[in-house]
Amino acid sequence: MVQFLKLRLSGFKSFVDPTELLIEPGMTGVVGPNGCGKSNLVEALRWVMGETSAKRMRGAGMDDVIFGGTGARPARNLAEVTLTVDNADRLAPAAFNDVDDLEIVRRIERERGSTYRINGREVRARDVQLLFADAASGAQSPAIVGQGRIGAIINAKPSERRHLLEEAAGISGLHSRRHEAELRLRAAETNLERLDDVIGTLETQLQGLKRQARQATRYRNIADQLRRSEALLFHVDAEAANARLAKARQDHEQVKAKVAELTELAATASTRQSQAAAALPELRQKEAEAAAALQRLLSARDGLDRETAEIEAARKGASERLAQLDADLARSRAQGEDAVQAEARLAEERRGLEQAAAGEGEARAERQDLRDREAAEVTRLEGELGEASQGVAEGEAQGRAVERRVQELGQRLARLREQLERVGRERAEAEASSAFAGEVEAAERAVAEAEQALEAARRELEQAEAATQAARQADSEARETLQERETALNRLDAEIQALAKLLERPTGDLWPPLIDAV
C-alpha cells in the first residue's frame, strides 16, 4: 500500500489559491459543510493519479477542472495538482526508484491538454498509472471510496469483485503490464504480417532485378561488341579521311597555282580597267560634244522642217489662188457671154422685178437670215479648225520628241552593243576574273534595258504618228468644210449685194436704164 505524504492544489476547481494538505500517518479526515470542497480533494487525488474521464470528474470536459471564476475573481487558464508519495520501501519502478519521496505533478492548460512530471522529469500518463497500479492504488482503485461507492461494491458483479480482489492482492499492476504486453505482442504480430508482405514484395522485386541484371549483362556484352565495331569503323573512316586529306592537299596546291594565275590575270585586268578609266573622261567629253552637235543639228532640222512646211503651205495657197483666178477668169468670160443673152431677158425681168418689188422686204429678210446662219456655221467651223490645228501641232511636237527619243535610244543601243562586243572580247581573254564577269552582266542588262526602252519609244512613235495622221485628216476635213461654207457665204453676200444694187432707187430717175444696173 502506498503512503501519501502531501497534496498540493493550485487553480483546481474551487482551490483557486495554492493550497497544501498534509497527510500524516494514521487516519486523516476532512470535515465540513456541503460545498466546502471535500469531494474536490478526492477528485484531485484521482486526477493526479491519471484519471482520463471528464464525466467521473463531474464535468463536460477536462478543462472544467480549471477554476472557472466567480463574480469577485476572474477565471484561471492553468490548474496543477502535486502529490508527494513515500518511496522508502523502494516499490516504485526502476526509473524512479532512486529517491525516498516521489513527487507526481499533473498540469493542465486550457485547450492545450495535460502534462505529467515525476520528480521534475516529464513522463507519460501510462507511466503514472503503472506507478500507482504497482502500489495497489490508482484513479479507479476501490480504495478510494466516494459517494455511492459502498453500495456499488456490495452489488458488484463477479468480474468487478475479481478486480477488487486483485487490487487488494497487489497484482493489478501485473494485469496492466500484461495488457500492455499483449498490445505489444499484437503490434508485433501485425508488424510480422506486414514484414511477410514486404518480404514477398521484395522477392518479386528481386526477381525483376535478377531479370534486369541478366539484361544488363547482355547489354554490356552487346555494348562491348558495338564499341569494337565502332572502333573498327572509326579506323576505316580515319584511313579514308587520311586519303581524302592527301587528295585535298594536292587539290589545294593546284588551286593555289590557279589562284596565283588568276591573281596575275586580275592584276592585268585591273591595269586595263585603270587605263580605260583614265580614258573615260576624254570619251565622255567627246560624247558630250557630239550630243551638243547632235542637238544643234536636230534643232536645225526642225527649223528646216518648219520652213519646208511653211513653203509647202505657201505653194499650196498660191496654187489654190491661181486655180481660183483661172476659175474667176472663166466665170467672167462666161458672164460676158451671158450678159448679151441677159440683155434680152432684162426687159422681161424688169417686168418681173417690178412685180417682185412688192416682195422685196421678205426676200431680203430671208436672204439675211440665211446669211446669218451661214456666218454662225462658218464661226463654228473656224473654231473646230483651230482645235484641229492645235491637235496637229501637238501631235507633230510629240512626234518630234518621240523621234528624238528614238534616235537617242538608238545611239545608246549602238554604244552599248559596241561596249558589249568589247567586253566579250576581253571576257575571252580573262574569263575567270569576277570583275569582268560583273561588267559583262551589267552591260548585258543595260543592253536589254535599252532595247526595251527603244521598243517602248518606237511604240510611242507609232502612236504619235497615228494621232498626227488622224489630226491632219480632221484638219483637212475641217478646212474643206470651211472652204465650202465660205464659198456659200461669199455667194450669198454677192447675191444680196446684187439684189440691193438692182433694187436700189436713185433719187433722180425713177426708172434708170437696166443695162447700167447690169
Side-chain angles (χ1 to χ4, degrees):
M1 179 64 70
V2 65
Q3 177 65 39
F4 298 149
L5 299 179
K6 183 170 55 176
L7 179 66
R8 188 173 182 275
L9 302 90
S10 176
F12 185 85
K13 289 195 173 185
S14 60
F15 297 94
V16 59
D17 295 325
T19 303
E20 187 173 298
L21 175 63
L22 296 176
I23 304 174
E24 299 293 343
M27 182 177 292
T28 301
V30 179
V31 181
N34 293 333
C36 67
K38 301 185 296 298
S39 299
N40 292 340
L41 291 175
V42 177
E43 291 174 357
L45 285 174
R46 296 176 61 186
W47 186 71
V48 75
M49 286 189 290
E51 180 60 60
T52 58
S53 176
K55 185 180 294 185
R56 292 176 181 173
M57 300 299 296
R58 296 183 300 169
M62 194 58 71
D63 289 344
D64 291 341
V65 302
I66 304 174
F67 177 69
T70 62
R73 306 191 66 171
R76 299 283 297 272
N77 292 324
L78 179 68
E80 183 179 281
V81 176
T82 303
L83 178 63
T84 304
V85 180
D86 184 15
N87 191 32
D89 297 334
R90 295 294 191 272
L91 299 177
F96 313 109
N97 206 16
D98 54 348
V99 293
D100 293 337
D101 296 332
L102 297 177
E103 190 177 69
I104 298 95
V105 180
R106 184 176 182 180
R107 181 189 181 106
I108 183 172
E109 293 185 23
R110 196 178 298 277
E111 297 180 357
R112 291 190 179 182
S114 301
T115 58
Y116 294 87
R117 292 181 180 276
I118 297 177
N119 290 342
R121 187 170 67 180
E122 187 171 350
V123 296
R124 300 176 302 167
R126 185 64 180 168
D127 296 334
V128 174
Q129 293 171 357
L130 288 175
L131 171 65
F132 287 102
D134 291 339
S137 181
Q140 306 297 328
S141 175
I144 301 177
V145 180
Q147 185 176 3
R149 184 65 175 170
I150 300 299
I153 293 173
I154 294 172
N155 299 320
K157 296 179 181 180
S159 59
E160 295 176 351
R161 292 178 181 176
R162 179 182 176 183
H163 179 69
L164 179 62
L165 293 175
E166 288 177 352
E167 184 174 344
I171 60 175
S172 58
L174 296 176
H175 283 287
S176 298
R177 284 186 170 83
R178 186 185 69 178
H179 178 67
E180 185 176 0
E182 288 176 352
L183 293 177
R184 289 179 180 176
L185 285 175
R186 292 193 189 97
E189 289 176 355
T190 303
N191 290 335
L192 287 175
E193 291 176 358
R194 292 180 59 191
L195 183 60
D196 292 337
D197 295 338
V198 171
I199 290 173
T201 304
L202 291 177
E203 287 179 353
T204 303
Q205 294 178 357
L206 180 61
Q207 295 297 328
L209 291 174
K210 287 181 179 179
R211 185 171 58 254
Q212 293 177 5
R214 289 194 298 270
Q215 293 177 354
T217 304
R218 184 181 177 186
Y219 172 78
R220 187 167 54 252
N221 296 332
I222 294 174
D224 293 338
Q225 295 177 2
L226 286 175
R227 280 195 295 272
R228 287 194 295 270
S229 300
E230 288 177 353
L232 181 60
L233 182 60
F234 289 154
H235 177 70
V236 173
D237 291 342
E239 293 296 331
N242 290 330
R244 289 195 300 271
L245 179 61
K247 187 176 183 303
R249 287 176 178 174
Q250 183 178 1
D251 294 340
H252 178 66
E253 295 298 329
Q254 294 177 359
V255 169
K256 285 177 64 177
K258 186 65 176 178
V259 167
E261 182 180 355
L262 293 177
T263 303
E264 185 177 357
L265 291 175
T268 304
S270 178
T271 303
R272 291 180 180 177
Q273 184 180 6
S274 299
Q275 294 174 358
L280 185 61
E282 183 179 357
L283 294 176
R284 286 180 177 173
Q285 181 65 28
K286 291 181 180 180
E287 181 183 2
E289 293 175 357
L294 177 61
Q295 187 64 31
R296 289 194 299 271
L297 291 175
L298 291 175
S299 300
R301 190 196 67 177
D302 293 339
L304 291 175
D305 291 340
R306 287 192 297 272
E307 291 177 1
T308 302
E310 292 175 358
I311 293 170
E312 182 65 24
R315 185 186 64 77
K316 185 177 181 181
S319 299
E320 291 177 354
R321 287 194 297 274
L322 181 59
Q324 186 176 0
L325 289 174
D326 293 338
D328 293 342
L329 181 59
R331 189 169 55 252
S332 298
R333 289 175 180 176
Q335 288 177 357
E337 294 175 356
D338 293 338
V340 178
Q341 298 175 2
E343 185 177 358
R345 293 192 303 269
L346 286 178
E348 296 178 0
E349 290 180 0
R350 180 175 182 177
R351 289 189 299 269
L353 289 174
E354 289 176 355
Q355 295 175 0
E360 175 187 355
E362 296 177 0
R364 181 175 293 181
E366 183 180 356
R367 294 291 183 176
Q368 187 64 33
D369 186 25
L370 182 59
R371 182 183 181 280
D372 293 338
R373 288 197 301 270
E374 293 293 336
E377 185 68 18
V378 168
T379 303
R380 185 182 64 80
L381 292 174
E382 286 178 351
E384 292 178 357
L385 179 61
E387 292 177 357
S389 300
Q390 184 178 0
V392 170
E394 292 177 355
E396 291 177 351
Q398 184 178 3
R400 288 193 296 272
V402 173
E403 287 177 356
R404 288 195 298 273
R405 177 64 176 170
V406 169
Q407 292 177 359
E408 291 175 359
L409 291 174
Q411 294 174 2
R412 181 183 176 189
L413 181 61
R415 291 196 301 272
L416 290 173
R417 285 175 176 172
E418 293 175 359
Q419 184 179 3
L420 181 60
E421 292 175 357
R422 177 179 58 80
V423 171
R425 291 191 299 270
E426 293 178 353
R427 182 179 183 182
E429 297 175 358
E431 187 175 359
S433 176
S434 60
F436 280 98
E439 185 178 358
V440 169
E441 291 178 357
E444 290 177 351
R445 287 195 301 270
V447 168
E449 293 174 356
E451 288 178 350
Q452 293 176 359
L454 180 59
E455 184 64 26
R458 285 176 178 172
R459 288 195 297 270
E460 292 178 359
L461 179 59
E462 291 175 357
Q463 294 174 0
E465 287 178 351
T468 303
Q469 185 65 27
R472 285 176 179 173
Q473 184 176 358
D475 180 71
S476 177
E477 293 175 357
R479 287 182 185 275
E480 290 175 0
T481 305
L482 180 62
Q483 184 67 31
E484 293 174 359
R485 295 296 181 180
E486 287 179 349
T487 302
L489 182 61
N490 292 331
R491 186 169 61 251
L492 289 174
D493 288 336
E495 290 177 1
I496 291 171
Q497 292 175 5
L499 289 174
K501 289 180 180 180
L502 183 63
L503 298 174
E504 174 177 309
R505 293 188 178 95
T507 57
D509 190 0
L510 181 61
W511 302 107
L514 188 59
I515 191 64
D516 295 338
V518 176

PDB file of all heavy atoms in Angstrom, residues 11 13 78 172 227 261 339 402 484 488:
ATOM      1  N   GLY A  11      -5.391  26.288  -8.499  1.00  0.00           N
ATOM      2  CA  GLY A  11      -6.275  26.536  -9.632  1.00  0.00           C
ATOM      3  C   GLY A  11      -7.159  25.372  -9.975  1.00  0.00           C
ATOM      4  O   GLY A  11      -7.795  25.383 -11.033  1.00  0.00           O
ATOM      5  N   LYS A  13     -10.431  23.455  -9.646  1.00  0.00           N
ATOM      6  CA  LYS A  13     -11.826  23.638  -9.234  1.00  0.00           C
ATOM      7  C   LYS A  13     -11.941  24.798  -8.258  1.00  0.00           C
ATOM      8  O   LYS A  13     -11.613  25.935  -8.633  1.00  0.00           O
ATOM      9  CB  LYS A  13     -12.398  22.339  -8.692  1.00  0.00           C
ATOM     10  CG  LYS A  13     -12.621  21.296  -9.806  1.00  0.00           C
ATOM     11  CD  LYS A  13     -13.507  20.172  -9.351  1.00  0.00           C
ATOM     12  CE  LYS A  13     -13.837  19.254 -10.546  1.00  0.00           C
ATOM     13  NZ  LYS A  13     -14.795  18.216 -10.188  1.00  0.00           N
ATOM     14  N   LEU A  78      -4.946  27.830 -15.954  1.00  0.00           N
ATOM     15  CA  LEU A  78      -3.962  26.822 -15.585  1.00  0.00           C
ATOM     16  C   LEU A  78      -4.395  26.187 -14.268  1.00  0.00           C
ATOM     17  O   LEU A  78      -4.862  26.858 -13.357  1.00  0.00           O
ATOM     18  CB  LEU A  78      -2.581  27.461 -15.428  1.00  0.00           C
ATOM     19  CG  LEU A  78      -1.428  26.546 -15.020  1.00  0.00           C
ATOM     20  CD1 LEU A  78      -1.118  25.576 -16.154  1.00  0.00           C
ATOM     21  CD2 LEU A  78      -0.179  27.372 -14.702  1.00  0.00           C
ATOM     22  N   SER A 172      -2.781  -5.904  -9.549  1.00  0.00           N
ATOM     23  CA  SER A 172      -3.424  -5.138 -10.633  1.00  0.00           C
ATOM     24  C   SER A 172      -2.389  -4.549 -11.568  1.00  0.00           C
ATOM     25  O   SER A 172      -2.617  -4.392 -12.783  1.00  0.00           O
ATOM     26  CB  SER A 172      -4.302  -4.028 -10.043  1.00  0.00           C
ATOM     27  OG  SER A 172      -3.535  -3.165  -9.222  1.00  0.00           O
ATOM     28  N   ARG A 227      31.255  -1.298 -79.340  1.00  0.00           N
ATOM     29  CA  ARG A 227      32.451  -0.448 -79.231  1.00  0.00           C
ATOM     30  C   ARG A 227      33.559  -0.958 -80.137  1.00  0.00           C
ATOM     31  O   ARG A 227      34.253  -0.165 -80.791  1.00  0.00           O
ATOM     32  CB  ARG A 227      32.919  -0.410 -77.769  1.00  0.00           C
ATOM     33  CG  ARG A 227      32.116   0.546 -76.905  1.00  0.00           C
ATOM     34  CD  ARG A 227      32.820   0.824 -75.586  1.00  0.00           C
ATOM     35  NE  ARG A 227      32.908  -0.383 -74.763  1.00  0.00           N
ATOM     36  CZ  ARG A 227      31.966  -0.767 -73.908  1.00  0.00           C
ATOM     37  NH1 ARG A 227      30.872  -0.055 -73.768  1.00  0.00           N
ATOM     38  NH2 ARG A 227      32.119  -1.863 -73.200  1.00  0.00           N
ATOM     39  N   GLU A 261      47.618  32.322-110.801  1.00  0.00           N
ATOM     40  CA  GLU A 261      47.418  32.677-112.215  1.00  0.00           C
ATOM     41  C   GLU A 261      46.278  33.676-112.370  1.00  0.00           C
ATOM     42  O   GLU A 261      46.397  34.682-113.094  1.00  0.00           O
ATOM     43  CB  GLU A 261      47.122  31.406-113.012  1.00  0.00           C
ATOM     44  CG  GLU A 261      46.950  31.657-114.506  1.00  0.00           C
ATOM     45  CD  GLU A 261      46.655  30.370-115.250  1.00  0.00           C
ATOM     46  OE1 GLU A 261      46.677  29.304-114.605  1.00  0.00           O
ATOM     47  OE2 GLU A 261      46.415  30.435-116.469  1.00  0.00           O
ATOM     48  N   ALA A 339     -24.066  88.090-170.496  1.00  0.00           N
ATOM     49  CA  ALA A 339     -24.602  89.465-170.441  1.00  0.00           C
ATOM     50  C   ALA A 339     -25.368  89.803-171.689  1.00  0.00           C
ATOM     51  O   ALA A 339     -26.397  90.493-171.649  1.00  0.00           O
ATOM     52  CB  ALA A 339     -23.476  90.446-170.214  1.00  0.00           C
ATOM     53  N   VAL A 402       9.308  62.161-129.763  1.00  0.00           N
ATOM     54  CA  VAL A 402       9.497  60.709-129.809  1.00  0.00           C
ATOM     55  C   VAL A 402      10.610  60.337-130.773  1.00  0.00           C
ATOM     56  O   VAL A 402      11.403  59.420-130.527  1.00  0.00           O
ATOM     57  CB  VAL A 402       8.179  60.022-130.187  1.00  0.00           C
ATOM     58  CG1 VAL A 402       8.383  58.529-130.420  1.00  0.00           C
ATOM     59  CG2 VAL A 402       7.138  60.223-129.063  1.00  0.00           C
ATOM     60  N   GLU A 484     -15.984  75.251-148.169  1.00  0.00           N
ATOM     61  CA  GLU A 484     -17.307  75.193-148.775  1.00  0.00           C
ATOM     62  C   GLU A 484     -18.240  76.210-148.143  1.00  0.00           C
ATOM     63  O   GLU A 484     -19.008  76.901-148.847  1.00  0.00           O
ATOM     64  CB  GLU A 484     -17.879  73.786-148.606  1.00  0.00           C
ATOM     65  CG  GLU A 484     -17.128  72.724-149.401  1.00  0.00           C
ATOM     66  CD  GLU A 484     -17.632  71.325-149.086  1.00  0.00           C
ATOM     67  OE1 GLU A 484     -18.536  71.203-148.241  1.00  0.00           O
ATOM     68  OE2 GLU A 484     -17.120  70.364-149.689  1.00  0.00           O
ATOM     69  N   ALA A 488     -20.049  79.387-149.983  1.00  0.00           N
ATOM     70  CA  ALA A 488     -21.500  79.631-149.950  1.00  0.00           C
ATOM     71  C   ALA A 488     -21.827  80.990-149.378  1.00  0.00           C
ATOM     72  O   ALA A 488     -22.726  81.699-149.849  1.00  0.00           O
ATOM     73  CB  ALA A 488     -22.174  78.524-149.133  1.00  0.00           C
TER      74      ALA A 488
END
